[in-house]
Amino acid sequence: MADELIGKTIGGYDVLSRIGEGGMATVYLAKQHSMDRQVALKVLPKHFIKDDTYMERFKREVAIVSKLEHRSIIPVYDYGEFEGQPYIVMRYMPSGSLDDMLKNGPIKPDKIYSIIQQIASGLDYAHSKHVLHRDLKPSNVLMDDAGGAFITDFGIARALGDNNPGLTTQGVVGTPSYMSPEQAQGKDLD
């Protein structure tokens, strides 16, 4: 089945191809006209736009990640809507994810150490801003060509002290294989 967004221009971004798909969004490779660069365009699929919870989670992700400026957190460039579908524009990471690296075989210990250092620093920063990622896993760590590791996908992140935590705390949310025991049990996280 052909993807209806490929070949379209969305807010100054030409959609070139699909990079990946998760539980809440589809990510495309796009070309940004104004800067003549490739970017990642994360779009909420049409079947979710009538669901207030998904719409609000998507908007919340933008609100959270736009405030987290750290070397190891994927930078967000833009946010908008196209025919009712919200989208987020982020830095394109051509080397894929940590999950992609793991599929190619074992990673050398010095590389593992470097990745852990970078991600721990990013998580520490997010925690200092009272943000819990809640879905950290190899597919949510993106790599650049220089060996930089970046945390992405704050779709179910929770801002501590949020006045409306129900969007991300009803039931158990996250990827079961990577959840902490308290998250899997639906307990309060800190």
Side-chain angles (χ1 to χ4, degrees):
M1 179 171 106
D3 191 308
E4 64 184 40
L5 292 180
I6 295 174
K8 290 195 175 180
T9 299
I10 297 176
Y13 306 94
D14 290 334
V15 181
L16 304 174
S17 62
R18 184 188 300 208
I19 298 172
E21 191 168 2
M24 194 174 107
T26 304
V27 181
Y28 298 91
L29 174 63
K31 182 176 181 184
Q32 181 180 10
H33 293 195
S34 63
M35 302 290 283
D36 192 28
R37 66 177 169 188
Q38 291 186 326
V39 295
L41 186 74
K42 182 176 182 176
V43 181
L44 185 69
K46 280 188 178 179
H47 61 276
F48 287 137
I49 63 175
K50 298 216 184 299
D51 185 321
D52 291 341
T53 300
Y54 280 96
M55 288 290 284
E56 195 57 39
R57 280 183 179 169
F58 202 83
K59 290 176 184 175
R60 180 178 288 188
E61 178 178 3
V62 171
I64 287 173
V65 78
S66 67
K67 292 178 177 81
L68 298 177
E69 293 194 31
H70 186 273
R71 158 68 182 91
S72 296
I73 295 175
I74 194 85
V76 171
Y77 299 145
D78 196 6
Y79 169 76
E81 284 191 14
F82 175 75
E83 297 178 359
Q85 288 178 269
Y87 63 85
I88 302 169
V89 181
M90 302 171 288
R91 180 176 170 195
Y92 172 58
M93 306 301 273
S95 293
S97 69
L98 179 55
D99 195 42
D100 296 331
M101 284 179 70
L102 290 167
K103 289 176 185 171
N104 291 325
I107 301 172
K108 294 183 178 185
D110 60 329
K111 182 69 176 170
I112 294 169
Y113 179 71
S114 173
I115 292 169
I116 290 172
Q117 270 190 314
Q118 293 174 69
I119 298 309
S121 176
L123 287 174
D124 185 53
Y125 173 79
H127 294 167
S128 77
K129 299 295 184 186
H130 308 289
V131 172
L132 300 177
H133 188 279
R134 301 194 315 161
D135 200 22
L136 188 65
K137 57 187 176 184
S139 61
N140 285 341
V141 174
L142 299 180
M143 307 301 296
D144 70 10
D145 288 339
F150 296 79
I151 303 166
T152 191
D153 197 354
F154 284 77
I156 63 167
R158 179 164 176 234
L160 296 177
D162 189 345
N163 292 334
N164 185 15
L167 286 172
T168 60
T169 58
Q170 294 173 342
V172 176
V173 292
T175 305
S177 303
Y178 296 97
M179 285 183 188
S180 65
E182 55 275 12
Q183 185 175 350
Q185 295 168 8
K187 294 181 179 179
D188 286 340
L189 303 176
D190 61 17

